[in-house]
Amino acid sequence: MTGNATTRFSNVSLLSVASALPSRVTTSVDIEERLGDALSRLRLKGGLLRRVAGVLERRNWDAAAGESADAATVQAGERALAEAGVQPQDVGLLINTSVTRKHLEPSVAVRLHHELGLPTSAVNFDVANACLGFVNGMSLAAGMIESGQIRHAIVVNGEDADDIQVNTIERLLGEHIDRDDFLSEFATLTLGSGSAAAVLGRSDEHPDGHPILGGVTRAATQFHDLCVGSADGMYTNAKSLLKGGLDLVVSAWKEAAPDWNWSQMDRYITHQVSAVHTNAIVKAAGLDASRVPTTFPRLGNVGPASIPITLAEEQATLARGDRVLLMGVGSGLNTAMMELAW
């Protein structure tokens, strides 16, 4: 259908998914205490992060303990490869999907390729598409496996929210900041850090894997300026972003209905943003809320890593044959939905 890209796969499976989380916990109470002067001056009630976003805490890397997003991503990748029973030398592709990065070049993928001990024949590159990157990476990897170009792929992500949160808090304490300025950067305070990795392979070589059936994507790029972020800060028109995102998801859902029956999935793994966002998606798509697990209260919004982290946590409760739908929306706006047969 026009504006609704549909992809189907017949011989690709998710073999494993793993995560690695920071040890340092930053509570919303702590952040709001640091912002106490600004909240008082702007006459904003305390508890915004907990009451409005539903984020109680998030994780941050403990640099003093040697933690970092790259190191944790390597750990997640090693764990995913081991759980999949795939040797590094058998990997033909690595896609890094992180939003945060220490430098513009080279790609983040090159260090991860080296640290994971992948062969020189393994293609490696970054894919950036805001919070939708991991699902896009899985789709790209699945296409290359389906075409016969590669046998195994690893898709990884590592996010570090430290710098952007520190910079945002310092800026929001400035005397020139008004209520509108504060609210435009509110979403930044919900961000968290974390890493994840997934290994994909051929279904006929891995009968115990979880087939990736395919999915849909849809774009509404007229909203490209509703959420714009950098290492210095992230500025969001929250109300318009929520409405635009919901309209996009609902339109994609409706157009996909003739080809995909997603109304009775066993689990909906959604991108983790906030209570407001999750409740709105559940209502708009008519989902069973009991089948929509949430990690944002404990981990915040971990960007592209949130879907694989949530899936990694849920996998122990999934049974063979369960139908799982990955659902994400990324700034820009773009949405993607991908079905797995567990």
Side-chain angles (χ1 to χ4, degrees):
M1 295 182 182
T2 302
N4 190 59
T6 298
T7 306
R8 290 187 180 274
F9 303 110
S10 61
N11 193 29
V12 184
S13 287
L14 173 69
L15 308 185
S16 64
V17 59
S19 64
L21 300 178
S23 63
R24 182 161 59 93
V25 175
T26 303
T27 68
S28 291
V29 171
D30 175 62
I31 288 179
E32 291 185 0
E33 285 179 349
R34 290 153 67 186
L35 287 168
D37 289 345
L39 292 172
S40 177
R41 181 174 60 81
L42 298 174
R43 297 182 180 179
L44 290 169
K45 291 180 62 177
L48 274 174
L49 286 165
R50 291 162 288 161
R51 187 178 67 255
V52 177
V55 176
L56 307 180
E57 59 189 34
R58 76 282 295 135
R59 301 290 187 95
N60 294 100
W61 304 110
D62 188 348
E67 294 180 354
S68 71
D70 284 353
T73 304
V74 172
Q75 292 172 9
E78 291 174 338
R79 189 175 304 124
L81 288 170
E83 292 177 0
V86 175
Q87 298 299 315
Q89 62 265 27
D90 293 327
V91 174
L93 170 70
L94 178 146
I95 302 178
N96 170 65
T97 63
S98 64
V99 170
T100 56
R101 59 193 62 233
K102 295 179 180 178
H103 40 68
L104 293 176
E105 61 176 326
S107 69
V108 178
V110 294
R111 177 177 179 180
L112 302 176
H113 177 283
H114 172 71
E115 295 291 340
L116 285 169
L118 303 187
T120 58
S121 56
V123 180
N124 60 95
F125 52 82
D126 291 354
V127 166
N129 195 17
C131 294
L132 205 58
F134 202 94
V135 177
N136 291 151
M138 289 180 64
S139 184
L140 284 172
M144 291 178 68
I145 292 172
E146 188 94 330
S147 72
Q149 183 176 354
I150 59 172
R151 291 174 56 221
H152 298 100
I154 183 167
V155 181
V156 298
N157 182 274
E159 301 298 333
D160 186 346
D162 255 23
D163 287 346
I164 191 171
Q165 283 186 347
V166 169
N167 293 338
T168 298
I169 290 172
E170 290 181 354
R171 183 166 48 254
L172 292 180
L173 289 172
E175 292 294 326
H176 63 287
I177 296 294
D178 60 23
R179 287 173 67 99
D180 289 340
D181 294 330
F182 189 99
L183 294 176
S184 74
E185 297 198 59
F186 177 75
T188 312
L189 305 176
T190 69
L191 299 178
S193 302
S195 293
V199 176
L200 284 66
R202 292 169 55 96
S203 300
D204 56 10
E205 292 184 353
H206 300 275
D208 293 331
H210 314 294
I212 298 175
L213 304 183
V216 302
T217 62
R218 188 173 176 85
T221 53
Q222 67 270 29
F223 299 123
H224 63 273
D225 58 355
L226 294 184
C227 180
V228 179
S230 68
D232 293 326
M234 183 172 73
Y235 303 88
T236 302
N237 182 330
K239 184 177 181 179
S240 297
L241 187 67
L242 178 61
K243 183 181 184 306
L246 282 177
D247 289 345
L248 180 61
V249 169
V250 171
S251 63
W253 183 273
K254 289 181 177 178
E255 289 194 16
D259 298 313
W260 303 89
N261 178 21
W262 288 332
S263 61
Q264 296 296 323
M265 305 298 286
D266 295 288
R267 211 66 47 89
Y268 298 92
I269 307 297
T270 65
H271 170 53
Q272 304 290 304
V273 179
S274 67
V276 172
H277 178 273
T278 300
N279 293 338
I281 290 290
V282 167
K283 182 178 180 180
L287 307 182
D288 180 347
S290 68
R291 300 183 183 186
V292 185
T294 58
T295 54
F296 66 81
R298 296 177 289 108
L299 303 179
N301 178 354
V302 200
S306 67
I307 284 179
I309 286 175
T310 305
L311 180 60
E313 290 195 0
E314 284 296 299
Q315 61 185 333
T317 67
L318 293 170
R320 192 71 179 174
D322 279 352
R323 299 178 66 202
V324 179
L325 187 67
L326 311 184
M327 303 176 63
V329 178
S331 300
L333 288 165
N334 286 290
T335 188
M337 302 171 194
M338 173 181 283
E339 182 177 348
L340 310 178
W342 205 259

